[in-house]
């Protein structure tokens, strides 16, 4: 018993001693060490500090540094993951987003529906739909946002089958669901499916109409050219009370314009309360695309007075219309306005300026604009090269092409069309073949149908028909109408009747309604004296209702356009024009001019053929220009068809007799006549 008591006493003594030691030790360390309870508190504070630091880094968009801090937090709260995923989404940082998601899984964090939706959105916007689908499939709970996010991701990437499958499986749909699907179909050129979807749930959609859904449906109607459906939708949205929204008005205007109802589009445009430059530009451009250039130019003038500043799209559209109509005076005015408001020389409006001047035959002005551009884009280079080619300056065209290559600008297939055209207009056959082969061998591009048409044109014009046929036989694609027309044109020049019939046969199959083929073949038969074949051509045209396109020539004098047809007597100065041409004809004969009657289609006496030639539209336009302007004034005549051989020859004589520079732009190129010569060097 004593022994037990003794042991207990001894143990008590040891416990007391240990308590004293522990107490002493604890007391001695309080000055330099943090007590145990305080250690837990500081650890929590450190975590809080890191979370705060992470949020600050996210606010500063320092994503990678924020993720480094994330790895130092043992159990990050939901707010950390939410903030990081949102930043990854904003920066389209897929790899960083995957890192955050992986850390989430590793830490055992189970995301709720909000963070899961953010993950879905991040993966969808980063284009990783497989990861988005995996997140979606793993979600124990999904809301409408989950479905819409994934559907939107699929539609934006054109994965419309996957999107439609999800759309069909949705337990409920809202405006966003409908709009995402319909706009996806429109964006990827499936307007029919968009309208079918609208029809399929028409009443459901009608009750949920908003401006975005309506705009998408109207865009589908515009793409299909369905004016009836567009008007029907217009009626429905009017009844739904959405017709006062500018977004809807713009969509309506676009629909009417693309469906060919320009007046309806203008009516909608006039009802817009706050017309911005986008609406102005769209309406102006619609006039131009519909061929109503004067109304387009007039609306542009109204824009100038409205106080709204045009943008580069507006300028480019107007300048391209000037180029198409050869309206150089308007083009110069637009250029002047652009200079006054200081347009950006790096914008594509500068390229449109170069293009406009080149198409209007003022290629030197185009060159000055080009030289003022710090870094010319490919469109500017190509416009200048093509401009020189079409204006009878092939050497300059090829010189600028070489400068393009030295500038490290990579040419495209359109650039090479200009280069090959320059070779064609100059008769540089071997050089053209060299450039043609370099397209694939040196520049790594694929030959297009346009390239083949150009090289066949070059070979056919020079009479190298065997080489042309060899290239045609090896083409990877079926020859198109432009190639056959080029071959036919060469056959007309060299009288190759057999090959001409082959080309014409192909053209009759491709476009039986095109009168140009019939007329060219009739010319070839007429030159060969085969008047029975000419008669057959005429009968065939009559039977098929094919009408020869009338040749129009026009000239601008004192800002007024004067248009002439062959044998035209409707002009107020018709008598003076014909009298002047009669006197001019005598002078031309004295200089050695002989009318070329080979291409006069009528089997009549030679004298009558010459009479027919005397009053071609371009001759009437030139004569009017001469009698209506002071001596020495340069003249510029435009023609909708290719100028005829006799007129080309006659205007050379006229330019020398009256001492004028006369420029004629036909459907193919510019002919600059001066002192009895033409810039084309008679190779056209």
């Amino acid at each position: 018993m004593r022994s037990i008591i003794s042991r207990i006493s001894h143990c008590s003594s040891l416990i007391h001693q240990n308590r004293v030691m522990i107490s002493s030790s604890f007391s001695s360390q309080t000055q330099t060490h943090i007590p145990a309870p305080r250690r837990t508190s500081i650890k929590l504070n450190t975590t809080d500090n890191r979370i705060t630091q992470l949020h600050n880094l996210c606010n500063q968009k320092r994503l990678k540094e924020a993720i480094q801090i994330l790895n130092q937090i043992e159990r990050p709260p939901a707010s950390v993951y939410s903030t990081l995923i949102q930043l990854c989404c904003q920066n389209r940082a897929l790899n960083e987003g995957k890192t955050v998601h992986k850390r989430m899984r590793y830490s055992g964090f189970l995301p709720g529906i909000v963070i899961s939706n953010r993950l879905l959105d991040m993966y969808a916007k980063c284009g990783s739909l497989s990861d988005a689908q995996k997140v979606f499939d793993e979600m124990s709970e999904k809301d409408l946002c989950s479905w819409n996010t994934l559907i939107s991701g699929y539609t934006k990437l054109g994965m419309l089958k996957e999107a439609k499958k999800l759309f069909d499986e949705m337990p409920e749909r809202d405006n966003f669901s409908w709009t995402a699907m319909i706009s996806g179909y429109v964006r990827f050129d499936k307007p029919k499916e968009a309208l079918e979807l609208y029809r399929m749930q028409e009443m459901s959609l009608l009750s949920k109409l908003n401006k975005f859904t309506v705009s998408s449906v109207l865009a589908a109607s515009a793409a299909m050219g369905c004016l009836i459906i567009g008007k029907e939708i217009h009626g429905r949205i009017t009844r739904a009370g959405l017709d006062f929204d500018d977004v809807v008005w713009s969509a309506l205007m676009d629909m009417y314009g693309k469906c060919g109802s320009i007046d309806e589009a203008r009516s909608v445009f006039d009802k817009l309360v706050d017309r911005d430059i986008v609406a102005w530009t769209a309406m102006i451009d619609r006039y131009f695309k519909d061929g109503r250039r004067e109304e387009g130019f007039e609306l542009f003038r109204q824009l100038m007075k409205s106080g709204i500043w045009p943008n580069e799209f507006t300028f480019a559209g107007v300048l391209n219309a000037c180029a198409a109509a050869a309206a150089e005076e308007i083009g110069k005015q637009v250029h002047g306005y652009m200079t006054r408001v200081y347009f950006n020389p790096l914008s594509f409006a500068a390229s449109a300026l170069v293009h406009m001047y080149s198409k209007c035959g003022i290629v030197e002005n185009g060159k000055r604009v080009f030289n003022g551009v710090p870094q010319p884009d490919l469109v500017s280079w190509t416009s200048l090269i093509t401009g020189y080619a079409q204006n009878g300056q092939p050497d300059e065209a090829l010189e600028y092409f070489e400068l393009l290559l030295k500038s490290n600008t990579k040419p495209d297939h359109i650039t090479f069309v200009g280069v090959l055209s320059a070779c064609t207009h100059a008769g540089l056959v071997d050089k053209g073949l060299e450039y043609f082969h370099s397209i694939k061998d040196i520049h790594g591009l694929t030959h297009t149908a346009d390239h083949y048409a150009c090289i066949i044109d070059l070979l056919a014009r020079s009479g190298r028909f065997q080489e042309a046929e060899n290239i045609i036989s090896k083409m990877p694609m079926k020859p198109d109408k432009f190639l056959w027309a080029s071959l036919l044109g060469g056959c007309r020049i060299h009288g190759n009747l057999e090959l001409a019939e082959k080309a014409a046969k192909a053209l009759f199959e491709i476009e039986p309604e095109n009168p140009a083929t019939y007329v060219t073949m009739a010319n070839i038969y007429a030159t060969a004296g085969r008047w029975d074949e000419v008669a057959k051509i005429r009968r065939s045209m009559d039977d098929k209702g094919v009408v020869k396109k009338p040749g129009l020539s026009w000239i601008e004098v004192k800002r007024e356009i004067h248009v002439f047809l062959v044998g035209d007597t409707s002009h107020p100065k018709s008598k003076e024009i014909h009298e002047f041409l009669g006197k001019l004809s005598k002078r031309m004969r004295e200089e050695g001019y002989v009318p070329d009657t080979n291409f006069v289609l009528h089997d009549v006496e030679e004298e009558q053929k010459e009479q027919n030639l005397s009053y071609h539209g371009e001759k009437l336009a030139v004569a009017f220009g001469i009698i209506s302007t002071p001596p020495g004034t340069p003249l510029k005549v435009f023609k909708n068809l290719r100028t005829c051989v006799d007129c080309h020859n006659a205007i050379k004589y006229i330019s020398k007799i009256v001492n004028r520079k006369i420029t004629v732009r036909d459907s193919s190129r510019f002919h600059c006549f001066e002192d009895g010569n033409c810039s084309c060097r008679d190779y056209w």
Side-chain angles (χ1 to χ4, degrees), residues 340-380:
R340 289 194 298 275
V341 301
Y342 187 70
F343 76 100
N344 182 2
L346 293 174
S347 72
F348 55 81
S351 302
L353 259 179
V354 177
H355 176 66
M356 183 274 295
Y357 279 125
S358 298
K359 292 292 284 184
C360 288
I362 322 173
V363 70
E364 288 306 311
N365 282 16
K367 178 184 174 182
R368 279 194 285 272
V369 175
F370 179 87
N371 290 337
V373 177
Q375 294 178 325
D377 61 8
L378 183 58
V379 176
S380 297

Short mmCIF file of all heavy atoms in Angstrom, two decimals, residues 340-380:
data_model
loop_
_atom_site.label_atom_id
_atom_site.label_comp_id
_atom_site.label_asym_id
_atom_site.label_seq_id
_atom_site.Cartn_x
_atom_site.Cartn_y
_atom_site.Cartn_z
N ARG A 340 -10.93 67.31 -96.80
CA ARG A 340 -11.30 68.37 -95.85
C ARG A 340 -11.56 67.82 -94.45
O ARG A 340 -11.25 68.46 -93.46
CB ARG A 340 -12.52 69.13 -96.35
CG ARG A 340 -12.24 70.02 -97.56
CD ARG A 340 -13.38 71.00 -97.79
NE ARG A 340 -14.65 70.36 -98.08
CZ ARG A 340 -15.02 69.96 -99.30
NH1 ARG A 340 -14.19 70.13 -100.33
NH2 ARG A 340 -16.20 69.39 -99.49
N VAL A 341 -12.18 66.64 -94.38
CA VAL A 341 -12.49 66.08 -93.05
C VAL A 341 -11.36 65.19 -92.54
O VAL A 341 -11.47 64.58 -91.49
CB VAL A 341 -13.81 65.26 -93.08
CG1 VAL A 341 -14.96 66.13 -93.51
CG2 VAL A 341 -13.70 64.03 -93.99
N TYR A 342 -10.28 65.11 -93.31
CA TYR A 342 -9.10 64.31 -92.97
C TYR A 342 -9.46 62.84 -92.72
O TYR A 342 -9.57 62.38 -91.59
CB TYR A 342 -8.38 64.86 -91.75
CG TYR A 342 -7.06 64.14 -91.49
CD1 TYR A 342 -5.97 64.32 -92.35
CD2 TYR A 342 -6.93 63.26 -90.42
CE1 TYR A 342 -4.79 63.64 -92.14
CE2 TYR A 342 -5.74 62.58 -90.20
CZ TYR A 342 -4.67 62.78 -91.05
OH TYR A 342 -3.50 62.11 -90.86
N PHE A 343 -9.64 62.14 -93.81
CA PHE A 343 -9.91 60.72 -93.69
C PHE A 343 -8.62 59.97 -93.38
O PHE A 343 -7.52 60.44 -93.67
CB PHE A 343 -10.54 60.19 -94.99
CG PHE A 343 -9.56 60.02 -96.13
CD1 PHE A 343 -9.05 58.77 -96.45
CD2 PHE A 343 -9.16 61.12 -96.89
CE1 PHE A 343 -8.16 58.62 -97.49
CE2 PHE A 343 -8.27 60.97 -97.94
CZ PHE A 343 -7.77 59.72 -98.24
N ASN A 344 -8.76 58.80 -92.82
CA ASN A 344 -7.61 57.98 -92.45
C ASN A 344 -6.99 57.36 -93.70
O ASN A 344 -7.62 56.55 -94.37
CB ASN A 344 -8.07 56.87 -91.49
CG ASN A 344 -6.92 56.00 -91.02
OD1 ASN A 344 -5.76 56.23 -91.37
ND2 ASN A 344 -7.23 55.00 -90.22
N PRO A 345 -5.74 57.72 -94.02
CA PRO A 345 -5.11 57.16 -95.24
C PRO A 345 -4.86 55.67 -95.16
O PRO A 345 -4.54 55.04 -96.17
CB PRO A 345 -3.79 57.94 -95.34
CG PRO A 345 -3.51 58.40 -93.94
CD PRO A 345 -4.84 58.64 -93.31
N LEU A 346 -5.00 55.11 -93.96
CA LEU A 346 -4.81 53.66 -93.82
C LEU A 346 -6.12 52.89 -93.99
O LEU A 346 -6.12 51.67 -93.99
CB LEU A 346 -4.22 53.34 -92.44
CG LEU A 346 -2.79 53.83 -92.19
CD1 LEU A 346 -2.38 53.58 -90.76
CD2 LEU A 346 -1.82 53.17 -93.15
N SER A 347 -7.25 53.61 -94.13
CA SER A 347 -8.54 52.94 -94.26
C SER A 347 -8.73 52.41 -95.67
O SER A 347 -8.04 52.82 -96.61
CB SER A 347 -9.67 53.91 -93.92
OG SER A 347 -9.81 54.88 -94.95
N PHE A 348 -9.71 51.51 -95.82
CA PHE A 348 -9.93 50.97 -97.15
C PHE A 348 -10.64 51.97 -98.06
O PHE A 348 -10.79 51.73 -99.25
CB PHE A 348 -10.71 49.64 -97.10
CG PHE A 348 -12.02 49.70 -96.38
CD1 PHE A 348 -13.15 50.18 -96.99
CD2 PHE A 348 -12.12 49.26 -95.07
CE1 PHE A 348 -14.36 50.23 -96.32
CE2 PHE A 348 -13.32 49.30 -94.39
CZ PHE A 348 -14.44 49.78 -95.02
N ALA A 349 -11.05 53.12 -97.51
CA ALA A 349 -11.58 54.19 -98.36
C ALA A 349 -10.48 54.72 -99.28
O ALA A 349 -10.74 55.15 -100.41
CB ALA A 349 -12.14 55.32 -97.50
N ALA A 350 -9.22 54.70 -98.79
CA ALA A 350 -8.09 55.10 -99.64
C ALA A 350 -7.94 54.14 -100.81
O ALA A 350 -7.67 54.55 -101.95
CB ALA A 350 -6.81 55.14 -98.81
N SER A 351 -8.12 52.86 -100.55
CA SER A 351 -8.07 51.86 -101.63
C SER A 351 -9.19 52.10 -102.64
O SER A 351 -8.99 51.96 -103.85
CB SER A 351 -8.19 50.45 -101.05
OG SER A 351 -7.16 50.20 -100.12
N ALA A 352 -10.37 52.48 -102.13
CA ALA A 352 -11.49 52.77 -103.02
C ALA A 352 -11.20 53.98 -103.89
O ALA A 352 -11.63 54.05 -105.05
CB ALA A 352 -12.77 53.00 -102.20
N LEU A 353 -10.46 54.95 -103.35
CA LEU A 353 -10.06 56.12 -104.15
C LEU A 353 -9.15 55.72 -105.30
O LEU A 353 -9.33 56.16 -106.44
CB LEU A 353 -9.33 57.12 -103.25
CG LEU A 353 -10.09 58.34 -102.74
CD1 LEU A 353 -9.19 59.19 -101.85
CD2 LEU A 353 -10.65 59.17 -103.88
N VAL A 354 -8.17 54.89 -105.01
CA VAL A 354 -7.26 54.40 -106.05
C VAL A 354 -8.05 53.66 -107.12
O VAL A 354 -7.85 53.85 -108.33
CB VAL A 354 -6.17 53.48 -105.45
CG1 VAL A 354 -5.27 52.92 -106.55
CG2 VAL A 354 -5.34 54.22 -104.42
N HIS A 355 -8.99 52.83 -106.68
CA HIS A 355 -9.82 52.06 -107.60
C HIS A 355 -10.68 52.98 -108.46
O HIS A 355 -10.79 52.79 -109.68
CB HIS A 355 -10.71 51.12 -106.78
CG HIS A 355 -11.69 50.34 -107.60
ND1 HIS A 355 -11.31 49.38 -108.51
CD2 HIS A 355 -13.05 50.38 -107.65
CE1 HIS A 355 -12.38 48.86 -109.07
NE2 HIS A 355 -13.45 49.45 -108.57
N MET A 356 -11.28 54.01 -107.84
CA MET A 356 -12.15 54.93 -108.57
C MET A 356 -11.39 55.65 -109.67
O MET A 356 -11.82 55.70 -110.83
CB MET A 356 -12.77 55.94 -107.60
CG MET A 356 -13.77 56.91 -108.22
SD MET A 356 -13.03 58.40 -108.95
CE MET A 356 -12.36 59.20 -107.50
N TYR A 357 -10.23 56.21 -109.32
CA TYR A 357 -9.45 56.94 -110.32
C TYR A 357 -8.97 56.01 -111.45
O TYR A 357 -8.96 56.40 -112.62
CB TYR A 357 -8.26 57.63 -109.67
CG TYR A 357 -8.62 58.94 -108.99
CD1 TYR A 357 -8.32 59.17 -107.65
CD2 TYR A 357 -9.26 59.95 -109.70
CE1 TYR A 357 -8.65 60.37 -107.03
CE2 TYR A 357 -9.60 61.16 -109.09
CZ TYR A 357 -9.29 61.36 -107.76
OH TYR A 357 -9.64 62.55 -107.17
N SER A 358 -8.61 54.80 -111.10
CA SER A 358 -8.16 53.85 -112.12
C SER A 358 -9.28 53.50 -113.09
O SER A 358 -9.09 53.45 -114.30
CB SER A 358 -7.62 52.58 -111.45
OG SER A 358 -6.50 52.87 -110.63
N LYS A 359 -10.49 53.26 -112.53
CA LYS A 359 -11.63 52.89 -113.38
C LYS A 359 -12.15 54.07 -114.20
O LYS A 359 -12.81 53.88 -115.22
CB LYS A 359 -12.77 52.35 -112.51
CG LYS A 359 -12.46 51.01 -111.86
CD LYS A 359 -12.35 49.87 -112.85
CE LYS A 359 -13.70 49.41 -113.34
NZ LYS A 359 -13.59 48.26 -114.24
N CYS A 360 -11.86 55.30 -113.74
CA CYS A 360 -12.29 56.48 -114.49
C CYS A 360 -11.24 56.93 -115.48
O CYS A 360 -11.41 57.97 -116.14
CB CYS A 360 -12.63 57.62 -113.53
SG CYS A 360 -14.15 57.36 -112.59
N GLY A 361 -10.15 56.18 -115.60
CA GLY A 361 -9.14 56.52 -116.58
C GLY A 361 -8.20 57.62 -116.14
O GLY A 361 -7.49 58.20 -116.98
N ILE A 362 -8.17 57.94 -114.86
CA ILE A 362 -7.25 58.97 -114.36
C ILE A 362 -6.24 58.26 -113.44
O ILE A 362 -6.14 58.54 -112.24
CB ILE A 362 -7.99 60.07 -113.58
CG1 ILE A 362 -9.34 60.39 -114.22
CG2 ILE A 362 -7.16 61.34 -113.52
CD1 ILE A 362 -10.20 61.32 -113.41
N VAL A 363 -5.51 57.35 -114.02
CA VAL A 363 -4.67 56.47 -113.23
C VAL A 363 -3.55 57.24 -112.52
O VAL A 363 -3.07 56.83 -111.46
CB VAL A 363 -4.10 55.33 -114.11
CG1 VAL A 363 -3.08 55.84 -115.11
CG2 VAL A 363 -3.51 54.22 -113.26
N GLU A 364 -3.12 58.37 -113.07
CA GLU A 364 -2.08 59.17 -112.41
C GLU A 364 -2.58 59.74 -111.09
O GLU A 364 -1.83 59.86 -110.13
CB GLU A 364 -1.61 60.29 -113.34
CG GLU A 364 -0.75 59.79 -114.51
CD GLU A 364 0.44 58.96 -114.05
OE1 GLU A 364 1.16 59.40 -113.13
OE2 GLU A 364 0.65 57.86 -114.60
N ASN A 365 -3.87 60.13 -111.04
CA ASN A 365 -4.45 60.56 -109.76
C ASN A 365 -4.47 59.41 -108.77
O ASN A 365 -4.21 59.59 -107.57
CB ASN A 365 -5.88 61.08 -109.97
CG ASN A 365 -5.90 62.49 -110.54
OD1 ASN A 365 -4.90 62.96 -111.04
ND2 ASN A 365 -7.05 63.14 -110.48
N GLY A 366 -4.81 58.23 -109.28
CA GLY A 366 -4.79 57.05 -108.43
C GLY A 366 -3.39 56.79 -107.87
O GLY A 366 -3.23 56.43 -106.70
N LYS A 367 -2.40 57.02 -108.71
CA LYS A 367 -1.01 56.84 -108.27
C LYS A 367 -0.65 57.82 -107.17
O LYS A 367 0.02 57.47 -106.20
CB LYS A 367 -0.07 57.01 -109.47
CG LYS A 367 1.40 56.89 -109.13
CD LYS A 367 2.26 57.18 -110.35
CE LYS A 367 3.74 57.21 -110.00
NZ LYS A 367 4.58 57.52 -111.18
N ARG A 368 -1.12 59.09 -107.29
CA ARG A 368 -0.82 60.09 -106.26
C ARG A 368 -1.45 59.71 -104.92
O ARG A 368 -0.83 59.86 -103.86
CB ARG A 368 -1.32 61.47 -106.71
CG ARG A 368 -0.36 62.17 -107.67
CD ARG A 368 -0.72 63.65 -107.82
NE ARG A 368 -1.91 63.83 -108.64
CZ ARG A 368 -1.88 63.94 -109.96
NH1 ARG A 368 -0.71 63.86 -110.61
NH2 ARG A 368 -2.99 64.10 -110.65
N VAL A 369 -2.71 59.21 -104.98
CA VAL A 369 -3.35 58.75 -103.74
C VAL A 369 -2.57 57.58 -103.16
O VAL A 369 -2.30 57.52 -101.96
CB VAL A 369 -4.81 58.33 -104.01
CG1 VAL A 369 -5.43 57.73 -102.74
CG2 VAL A 369 -5.65 59.52 -104.46
N PHE A 370 -2.19 56.66 -104.03
CA PHE A 370 -1.44 55.47 -103.62
C PHE A 370 -0.13 55.87 -102.92
O PHE A 370 0.21 55.33 -101.87
CB PHE A 370 -1.14 54.61 -104.85
CG PHE A 370 -0.34 53.38 -104.57
CD1 PHE A 370 -0.97 52.20 -104.20
CD2 PHE A 370 1.05 53.38 -104.67
CE1 PHE A 370 -0.23 51.05 -103.94
CE2 PHE A 370 1.79 52.25 -104.41
CZ PHE A 370 1.15 51.07 -104.05
N ASN A 371 0.57 56.83 -103.50
CA ASN A 371 1.85 57.26 -102.92
C ASN A 371 1.67 57.95 -101.58
O ASN A 371 2.62 58.04 -100.79
CB ASN A 371 2.58 58.20 -103.89
CG ASN A 371 3.10 57.46 -105.12
OD1 ASN A 371 3.30 56.25 -105.09
ND2 ASN A 371 3.32 58.19 -106.20
N GLY A 372 0.45 58.46 -101.31
CA GLY A 372 0.19 59.11 -100.03
C GLY A 372 -0.22 58.16 -98.92
O GLY A 372 -0.40 58.59 -97.78
N VAL A 373 -0.37 56.90 -99.26
CA VAL A 373 -0.75 55.89 -98.26
C VAL A 373 0.52 55.31 -97.64
O VAL A 373 1.37 54.78 -98.36
CB VAL A 373 -1.59 54.77 -98.89
CG1 VAL A 373 -1.92 53.70 -97.85
CG2 VAL A 373 -2.86 55.33 -99.50
N PRO A 374 0.70 55.43 -96.31
CA PRO A 374 1.94 54.96 -95.67
C PRO A 374 2.22 53.48 -95.92
O PRO A 374 3.35 53.10 -96.22
CB PRO A 374 1.69 55.22 -94.18
CG PRO A 374 0.62 56.26 -94.14
CD PRO A 374 -0.23 56.02 -95.34
N GLN A 375 1.19 52.67 -95.79
CA GLN A 375 1.35 51.23 -96.01
C GLN A 375 0.21 50.74 -96.89
O GLN A 375 -0.82 50.30 -96.38
CB GLN A 375 1.35 50.48 -94.67
CG GLN A 375 2.55 50.80 -93.79
CD GLN A 375 2.48 50.07 -92.46
OE1 GLN A 375 1.42 49.87 -91.88
NE2 GLN A 375 3.63 49.66 -91.96
N PRO A 376 0.37 50.82 -98.21
CA PRO A 376 -0.72 50.41 -99.11
C PRO A 376 -1.10 48.95 -98.88
O PRO A 376 -0.24 48.09 -98.70
CB PRO A 376 -0.10 50.60 -100.51
CG PRO A 376 1.07 51.51 -100.31
CD PRO A 376 1.57 51.24 -98.93
N ASP A 377 -2.40 48.70 -98.85
CA ASP A 377 -2.85 47.31 -98.70
C ASP A 377 -2.91 46.65 -100.08
O ASP A 377 -2.67 47.29 -101.11
CB ASP A 377 -4.20 47.24 -97.99
CG ASP A 377 -5.32 47.97 -98.75
OD1 ASP A 377 -5.08 48.40 -99.89
OD2 ASP A 377 -6.42 48.10 -98.19
N LEU A 378 -3.24 45.38 -100.07
CA LEU A 378 -3.24 44.62 -101.33
C LEU A 378 -4.27 45.16 -102.30
O LEU A 378 -4.06 45.16 -103.52
CB LEU A 378 -3.51 43.14 -101.03
CG LEU A 378 -3.46 42.20 -102.25
CD1 LEU A 378 -2.11 42.27 -102.96
CD2 LEU A 378 -3.77 40.76 -101.83
N VAL A 379 -5.41 45.66 -101.78
CA VAL A 379 -6.45 46.21 -102.66
C VAL A 379 -5.91 47.41 -103.42
O VAL A 379 -6.15 47.57 -104.63
CB VAL A 379 -7.71 46.59 -101.86
CG1 VAL A 379 -8.74 47.25 -102.75
CG2 VAL A 379 -8.30 45.37 -101.18
N SER A 380 -5.16 48.28 -102.75
CA SER A 380 -4.58 49.45 -103.39
C SER A 380 -3.58 49.05 -104.47
O SER A 380 -3.59 49.58 -105.59
CB SER A 380 -3.89 50.35 -102.36
OG SER A 380 -4.81 50.84 -101.42
#
